[in-house]
Amino acid sequence: MTTFEAILLTIVTASTPLLIAALGELVAERSGVLNLGVEGMMAMGAACSFAAAVTFDSTLLGVAAGMLAGALMAALFALVVLGFAANQVGSGLALTIFGLGLSGLIGAPFVGARRDPVAPVDIPGLSDIPVIGRLFFEQDLFVYASIALTILVAIYLTRTRSGLTLRSIGENHTSANALGMPVWRVRFWAILFGGACAGLAGAYLALVYTRFWSPGMTAGRGWIALALVVFAAWRPGWLLVGAYIFGAATVLQLHAQAAQFGVPSQLLSAVPYLATIIALLLLSLRHGRAIGAPGSLGAPFVPDR
Amino acid sequence: MLSGKIFGALAGAAVVALAATGAVAQPKDKVKVGFIYVGPVGDHGWSYQHDVGRQAIEKAFPGKVTTTFVESVPEADSERAIEQLARTGHDLIFTTSFGFMEPTLKVAKKYPNIKFEHATGFKRAPNLSTYAAKFHEGRYIIGQIAGKMTKSNTIGYVGAFPIPEVVAGINAFYLGAQSVNPNVKIKIVFANTWYDPAKEGDAAKALLDQGVDMLAQHTDSPAPIQAAEARGKFGFGQASDMERFAPKAQLTAIVDNWSDYYVARTKAVLDGTWKSEDVWGGLASNMVVMTPYKNMPDDVKKLAQDTEAAIRSGTLNPFKCPVIGQDGKEIECKGKGALSDEQVLGMNFYVKGIEDKIPQ
Amino acid sequence: MRFELTPRTNVSPVMRALAPVAAFIVSFLIAGFVIWLMGRSPIAAFEVYVTQPLSDPWSLQELLVKATPLALIAIGLSYCFRANLWNIGAEGQYVIGAVLGSWLALRTHGTEAGLWVLPLMLLLGIIGGALYGLIPAFLKTRFGVNEILTSLMLVYVAQLILDYLVRGPWRDPKGFNFPQSVTFDPSATLPPILEAGRVHYGAVFAATAIVLTAVILGRTLFGYRLKLTGDAPRAARFAGFSSKATTMSVFAISGGLAGLAGISEVSGQIGQLQPSISPGYGFTAITVAFLGRLNPIGILVAALVVALTFIGGESAQIMLKLPLDLTQAFQGILLLCVLAADALVSYRIRFVARGGGK
């Protein structure tokens, strides 16, 4: 494996949890719900997936538990913001705080346990193609899943009737409701999908990326995922680009240090954040002023009577 | 045991001036010991090892000693937590991060009858001791192992922050490697975090991608050594024994062993013999412990054991003079045949052969 | 079955005031249940968390110390949130305010500089925070870049700037190369209000900000404009209010107050610059702002309540060996309950059997 291939491989794995979590949030936001609880759902996903994987000695069960935990957290959020029409920003924040705390309680007995690596899936023949072979055809399942998920979400949002309904509700829930669209039901499932994705991303961190659990191991990645949704202007394709740009900036700054350029490491560490802001700035310059935030994003829905 | 005055008179005249009497201690039947941790007890590194030490106290004095801890105390907000311990009947309080230095000093002044111990700092008072461990002794040994074992002739180091303790560790590691392999190269990456497993793992992968085949780390999680294991390369455990995370990759681990020290200091409070001290323990006092040398040829193992014995007995000092700086000039030798403790504790230069610059 | 929400027309002020109290009781019940599940006494926990801190002068003082920066930042954030602008970067504005103010403290260190140092430091703190807050505001008004992303990313950047400074150029030359600046001179130290106490003048700033905000929101055109921009942006435009000017001003206000909190903490509490100068005050303050329902008095109460959970959380670790995570989970539950209770007061919830329309 050449250095170049190796670096690309690291970038892909570093970006994958961000991409998965952000995809879920993208769908929720497209339905008009802003859920700032990604970090908390992800933390719960990491803790529950690891606890289940160790207890039952099964990665598959672990992944399922992680997704379930994320979805349950999301259901709690849905109850508060849909059922009670509570403020979404505040509730999302509360969900993050709650999730970080609860995940600590759940994970505590599993400190020091470890899991074996999940073997990469090697697609014979294809993985022998130089450069792109290993990059595209010898990854762990999650990487394939994340890319498949991106495509599926993109198709769902743009090519299906249900996706259209979801988008209409996100654009303007009042008129969508007047047209007889089930605002609550769609949003409920969108929020749940977001939670399951965040849980999956957490499971990826705990079961594949580090293979052990520790408190606060999400280390702010949920917030980055939220930022990436904005960066991508709520479009799955751009999300893929954004997640990989961020992942690349994160990994390349480490390489820049190892290559001994003599630049302060703090400056290099700041590169991913600055790069995201600058990339977003350039994007908005190119696309003009309006970047497509769903019209009803963040607004509580109360039908007129 | 447990000797080594760190800065002597340097410790800050103001603090020393306070050393009027130092309350005369009485033996006690029961002692309450409190701990302030900077991270969660589950961090599996720094705070975790201090907690192992806390549990050792409970085991050593059944029925006589109770212990408590407050975890994840932010450094900027620690004064209150320390004072809470002081107000709730604790006789001995350990604050276990450098950032707790000023708050510990403040609270210690307010509660002259309570004993305080601050890890890795340099400000003392009649009721405030300081203690730290010479981890660089262990790093010299792993440097030798890495220098012997490397095939690519490039060894790597994941650091947390470019602070003196980490820089001294890097120098000791490299000097060890150089002592057995004069042409060895080192690559260094700072993760700018003590604890973010995924990021530490990324830093390790970046080094491995650049051809490093021996990986030392000065961040707390097992992620870097795990990355080495996944690539079939070698690494060294940090803070705790990480063998179960990397059974094939871990050559040895440098373990923070606070248990002996904590038990000794608690006993001193029980006996009424506690005095404000400045302790810098190393291999000789078991504050730094090497786990069994594994996964290496016998000759390397022998070398490592000999070096460990030599450091233990005091015949070898990792920073024995002459130490040559990056500019090729000899560093002034302020200690006896080796750099002085002050020079090591405040180290802000790389030795000759390291091509990187210290990020400032 | 599904449920329906209908806005209540007349909500009495009594109900509005009682809602958070009810939320409190509910979240305490939930927490008590969890503690009982963990095999500890919920009553003892309540005593350690609430009764003891509130009946001990020392804890009451610590409560004020902890609540000061939270209230100061949260009151600033309330301007942004009222206008539906999501500044989640107060942590960064706090740090940059502290950095800019400390610059003067370090410049005048060891000189005979007089009484002017401290006021100027505080002013620099405000300016630093405000300027840093204006970056996302400018990017939003000029280029339409979402403020959530930029304000958050700038937090990380601010922390790295601070990190660079205290490990590099601003490091105390006599500090054995440890990452911290020199200790500030007395002329650059914000004094405590009572000589032996720990409550510094930041508390006075916070109180002033709360009163001023109450006046501004209730009695000025600017306050009305904020409310209108938040509740009905189109109406605000028709009324001739520039949303750009509003955006810039609320970000400047909230950034400035966060900056003031930063420099006050550094010069009043910590006494020097170090890599970590905030235990996440900027983020916790978002909770405080919402817990206080963006109302100045509410924020004051919320800041004290959140401070209480921190202090109670430490006591619970010491006295009952309850883990810190429990405290955090409780904070989350409390906030959820308050927000839900608030909504319950504003809306009537009816359960309707499925049938008829979907």
Side-chain angles (χ1 to χ4, degrees), chain B residues 7 67-68 70-72 74 76-77 79-80 83-84 87 98 101-102 106 122 161 163-164 346 348 360, chain C residues 56 58 62 66 164 167 176-180 198 269 272 276-277 279 311 314-315 317-318 321 324:
Chain B
F7 297 3
T67 66
T68 43
V70 188
E71 62 179 329
S72 298
D77 193 32
E79 189 175 333
R80 181 193 58 250
E83 197 167 351
Q84 283 241 47
R87 287 167 46 86
F98 172 74
M101 182 163 73
E102 294 292 339
K106 274 192 209 164
F122 55 82
F161 294 98
I163 57 169
N348 69 338
Q360 293 285 346
Chain C
D56 172 1
W58 179 82
E62 291 299 324
K66 183 88 185 172
Y164 168 73
R167 291 180 203 282
F176 307 105
N177 295 315
F178 281 103
Q180 51 184 20
R198 290 227 307 137
Q269 269 320 325
Q272 66 189 156
S276 123
I277 54 170
I311 293 171
E314 277 165 13
S315 305
Q317 284 189 69
I318 297 170
K321 304 198 191 296
L324 180 67

Side-chain angles (χ1 to χ4, degrees), chain B residues 189-255:
Chain B
V189 169
F190 289 99
N192 272 323
T193 174
W194 284 108
Y195 199 78
D196 175 346
K199 195 170 179 194
E200 293 168 46
D202 286 344
K205 283 180 209 159
L207 285 168
L208 294 164
D209 289 346
Q210 298 219 356
V212 160
D213 62 351
M214 294 285 143
L215 197 65
Q217 63 178 90
H218 199 157
T219 55
D220 280 345
S221 90
I225 196 170
Q226 225 177 20
E229 169 112 357
R231 299 281 181 93
K233 302 291 196 293
F234 295 100
F236 303 92
Q238 151 76 9
S240 62
D241 188 352
M242 294 177 173
E243 192 181 4
R244 74 172 163 284
F245 295 101
K248 289 206 265 315
Q250 179 173 300
L251 298 167
T252 179
I254 305 169
V255 174

Side-chain angles (χ1 to χ4, degrees), chain A residues 158-182:
Chain A
T158 53
R159 300 264 186 277
T160 68
R161 195 171 175 80
S162 158
L164 183 68
T165 309
L166 182 130
R167 275 162 47 213
S168 319
I169 290 170
E171 273 318 316
N172 188 335
H173 50 216
T174 316
S175 48
N177 183 53
L179 290 170
M181 296 180 190

